[in-house]
Amino acid sequence: MHDIRAIRENPADFDAALARRGDAGMSSEILALDTARRGKIQSAESAQAEQKKASKEVGAAKGRGDDAEFERLRALVSEKKAEVAAMQTEAKELDAQLTDMLARIPNLPAPDVPEGADEDDNVEVSRWGTPVDLPFAAKEHFDITGVTASMDFDTGAKLSGSRFVVLKGAVARIHRALSQFMIDTHVDKNGLTEVNTPVLVRDEAMYGTDKLPKFGEDSYQTTNGWWLIPTSEVPLTYSVAEGVLDESALPIRMTAHSLCFRSEAGSAGRDTSGMLRQHQFEKVEMVSITHPDTSDDEQKRMLRCAEDLLEQLSVPYRTVLLCTGDMGFGARRTYDIEAWLPGQNAYREISSVSTTGEFQARRMSARFKPAEGGKPEFVHTLNGSGLAVGRCLIAVLENGQREDGSVTLPEVLAPYLGGKKTLATDGTLV
C-alpha cells in the first residue's frame, strides 16, 4: 500500500518510480479520486455543522412559540441529515475506490535496483562453486535410474491431476531430510525462531501480504472462504498485523517449513516436466520484521543464510539482483539465488529474498513504538526462501548423479539419512 500523502507531495517522483517498473504514471488519476473523496468529506462536515446549528435553534423557536420557524428549522435539520448521510456514503465509496486502486499498484523499487524489462536484464552479483563437468550426458532428475521408481508422476496425476507428484521410499526420505537440515540450520546457526503455522488463512492475511486483490487467481480458495497459503510468508508476516511492537522487540526473525499451494495461473507450458513447478510443494521460509534503518542489512543477512545452505549441500549457484521489470509485485528489492541443474544445463531459481519496505506493513497496520518516544512507525518486512525443498531435491539429485544412475548425496544429509550417503540404482539408500 502506498502513502497517499507522499503521492500528494511528490506526484512526479511517484510516477517516475512506476515508470522504472515499466508501468504508466497514475498520480493524476489517484489524486483526482483523492480530491473528490476529500471534497465529499468536507461537504459532509459542513452540512453536519449546519445540521447541529439548526438543531439547537429548533428548541429556541419552539420555546418562543414561533411555529413557522420551528417547522422550517425542523425541515432543515431533516434535509441536512439526509445530505450528510448521502455525502458520507459517497465519501466511503470514493475511499473504497481509492484504497482498491492503491492496493493494485506495485511497490516502488529501491534506487539501487537496476532498470530492465525482464530476466535478461537481471544483474549477476556473485557465483559460488563450479558447475560439475560430468563425463556423460547429464539426465534430468526424473530420468536418473535411482530416482525413477520413487518419483511417481502417474499416481500423482491419478490422484490430483497434472503437476502433482508422489514421492516414495528413499527419495521421499531425502526430501524430508533436506527440510529438516534447512530448519535445523536456520534455528541452530542462523538464530531464527521456528514457527508452525496454519496453511489456511483469511482474506485479511492474504491482502495484508499483498497477495490480494491482484493475485487471487494464483491461489486456491476453499468454499468457505479460507485461502491455501502460497507460501508461509503469509501467516508469518501477518502474525504482527494490527499491532504496535516495542522497538526493543525488533528484529523478529522467523522460519517455517510448510506445504504451499499455487494454481500457477498463466504458466501453462512452462516447466511442465518433472517436479520443478508443482501446484503443491514444500518450502522453508524466512521472514524478518525489522526497524526501517536496518532492513537493507537484514536482507543481506537473509541472503547469506540461503546461500550458505547451498554451499553446505555443495550445489553450485549464482546470485542475481532482479531488475525493475522482473521484480515481484510487493518487492522493493529482490535477490534470486539460482542453483545449477546439470540436467537442464542451466541455473534455475531456488530462492528469492525480498524486502518490501513498509509496503506490507501499511496494508496490515504493523507498527513499532520508537524507544525515544513519538508516534508509532511502520515496521519493514522481509521474506526469503530458505529453501524451496522440491527444487533443492532436484539440484541435489542432478548434481550428485553418476553414470550408472546412482546419486552421491551431500555429507551434511548423512545424519538425517541414518549415515547413508548414496542413492543406489535400485532406489535404496546405502
Side-chain angles (χ1 to χ4, degrees), residues 69-114:
E69 181 66 2
F70 171 76
E71 292 298 334
R72 185 189 74 80
L73 289 170
R74 190 167 67 169
L76 180 61
V77 169
S78 179
E79 176 187 332
K80 291 301 176 182
K81 184 177 181 181
E83 280 184 26
V84 169
M87 285 185 285
Q88 286 178 337
T89 297
E90 290 177 19
K92 287 181 180 178
E93 290 174 352
L94 290 169
D95 185 68
Q97 291 177 36
L98 179 60
T99 298
D100 184 67
M101 182 183 294
L102 291 173
R104 295 175 186 274
I105 299 173
N107 201 353
L108 305 183
D112 61 340
V113 173

Side-chain angles (χ1 to χ4, degrees), residues 52-74:
K52 289 181 179 179
K53 180 182 177 182
S55 294
K56 291 179 181 179
E57 293 175 353
V58 165
K62 181 72 171 177
R64 61 177 182 265
D66 190 341
D67 292 340
E69 181 66 2
F70 171 76
E71 292 298 334
R72 185 189 74 80
L73 289 170
R74 190 167 67 169

Side-chain angles (χ1 to χ4, degrees), residues 403-415:
E403 189 168 9
D404 66 355
S406 62
V407 177
T408 300
L409 301 171
E411 289 281 343
V412 292
L413 295 185

Side-chain angles (χ1 to χ4, degrees), residues 128 306-315 317 337 350 387:
W128 183 90
E307 291 173 335
D308 175 65
L309 292 170
L310 290 174
E311 291 171 18
Q312 291 190 65
L313 293 166
S314 300
V315 173
Y317 68 86
I337 305 173
I350 199 168
L387 303 158

Side-chain angles (χ1 to χ4, degrees), residues 56-234:
K56 291 179 181 179
E57 293 175 353
V58 165
K62 181 72 171 177
R64 61 177 182 265
D66 190 341
D67 292 340
E69 181 66 2
F70 171 76
E71 292 298 334
R72 185 189 74 80
L73 289 170
R74 190 167 67 169
L76 180 61
V77 169
S78 179
E79 176 187 332
K80 291 301 176 182
K81 184 177 181 181
E83 280 184 26
V84 169
M87 285 185 285
Q88 286 178 337
T89 297
E90 290 177 19
K92 287 181 180 178
E93 290 174 352
L94 290 169
D95 185 68
Q97 291 177 36
L98 179 60
T99 298
D100 184 67
M101 182 183 294
L102 291 173
R104 295 175 186 274
I105 299 173
N107 201 353
L108 305 183
D112 61 340
V113 173
E115 289 190 37
D118 52 38
E119 61 184 17
D120 293 332
D121 296 318
N122 294 339
V123 176
E124 183 176 315
V125 296
S126 65
R127 286 195 183 204
W128 183 90
T130 302
V132 60
D133 184 16
L134 297 172
F136 57 90
K139 293 182 178 181
E140 291 197 61
H141 56 287
F142 50 86
D143 280 333
I144 298 171
T145 303
V147 175
T148 53
S150 301
M151 192 173 284
D152 188 346
F153 295 98
D154 290 339
T155 300
K158 181 172 70 173
L159 292 170
S160 307
S162 62
R163 295 196 182 183
F164 288 90
V165 64
V166 173
L167 300 181
K168 305 174 184 177
V171 173
R173 186 172 182 182
I174 297 167
H175 185 267
R176 174 164 53 88
L178 283 165
S179 63
Q180 290 179 293
F181 159 69
M182 294 173 195
I183 282 288
D184 286 350
T185 301
H186 286 319
V187 172
D188 298 335
K189 182 178 180 180
N190 300 330
L192 280 63
T193 299
E194 183 177 1
V195 183
N196 191 317
T197 72
V199 297
L200 291 168
V201 296
R202 301 186 302 170
D203 286 353
E204 293 88 342
M206 291 285 282
Y207 179 88
T209 52
D210 64 63
K211 307 302 179 283
L212 292 178
K214 190 172 178 64
F215 299 106
E217 66 174 10
D218 294 325
S219 297
Y220 293 106
Q221 189 175 26
T222 65
T223 54
N224 60 350
W226 283 324
W227 293 88
L228 288 165
I229 61 171
T231 162
S232 57
E233 168 204 343
V234 173

